[in-house]
Amino acid sequence: MAESQATQRPRKIGEGPGRLIVSLYAVFTVAAGSRSLYQLIAQFHEAPLAYVLSAVAAVVYAFITVTLVRGGESARRLAMVCCAVELAGVLVVGTLTIVDSSAFPDQTVWSYYGMGYLFVPLVLPVTGMLWLRRAAPQRVSAGRAQA
C-alpha cells in the first residue's frame, strides 16, 4: 500500500477546483487589463497611480493564469510566489486607500481590499495558495515508505 501512495499520480494544478481558480484568474486578467488599458489611454492624468496599479494587477493575474495552465512543479512554485505578491499588493494598496485615500482619486482593482470586486482580489490569492499547496507533489519519507 505504501508503494501505491509513493507512485500516486500527482495532482495537476489546473484540474478539479484548480480549474475554477484558473477561470477566475483569467476573468480578472481580462477585467483588470481592459479597465486599466482604457484608463491609461483616456484618463491617465486623473489618477496615474491608481491606473498603473490596475495594470500591474492585470499583469500579475495574467502571469498566474499562464503558470496555472502550464502546470508542472516549477510553474506551481512561480504561481505560489505570484499569489503571495498579489496578496501583498492587495493588503498594501487596500491599506493605503484607507489611510491616504487622497493618493487614490480613482479606485484600483485592489482598492479597499478589492471591495469593488466583492473582495475576490483578497480571497483569490489565499485560495490559490491553498490549492497550490494541496496540489504539491506528495513526498513520502523513506521510513514511511518501508513501514
Side-chain angles (χ1 to χ4, degrees):
M1 181 150 178
E3 279 187 0
S4 66
Q5 287 177 342
T7 59
Q8 214 176 32
R9 190 182 125 204
R11 296 180 202 127
K12 291 193 177 179
I13 57 178
E15 291 182 354
R19 196 167 288 182
L20 175 63
I21 294 169
V22 169
S23 299
L24 286 171
Y25 272 112
V27 167
F28 268 77
T29 299
V30 173
S34 58
R35 174 185 173 170
S36 66
L37 183 63
Y38 169 77
Q39 290 172 326
L40 288 170
I41 291 169
Q43 303 168 327
F44 182 76
H45 62 281
E46 294 176 21
L49 178 61
Y51 302 151
V52 168
L53 285 172
S54 286
V56 168
V59 170
V60 170
Y61 292 144
F63 193 81
I64 293 171
T65 302
V66 169
T67 56
L68 291 173
V69 168
R70 182 172 169 250
E73 182 58 18
S74 61
R76 187 191 68 78
R77 288 180 185 162
L78 283 171
M80 183 72 90
V81 169
C82 284
C83 285
V85 168
E86 175 194 0
L87 181 59
V90 172
L91 294 174
V92 168
V93 172
T95 301
L96 286 174
T97 54
I98 291 170
V99 173
D100 185 16
S101 59
S102 65
F104 297 90
D106 200 358
Q107 291 193 8
T108 74
V109 177
W110 296 339
S111 293
Y112 303 100
Y113 307 107
M115 187 170 67
Y117 290 86
L118 302 175
F119 298 102
V120 173
L122 181 62
V123 175
L124 192 56
V126 174
T127 307
M129 287 189 291
L130 290 173
W131 173 250
L132 289 165
R133 184 173 172 211
R134 182 171 180 219
Q138 301 296 319
R139 297 198 194 315
V140 178
S141 67
R144 282 179 102 187
Q146 293 174 354

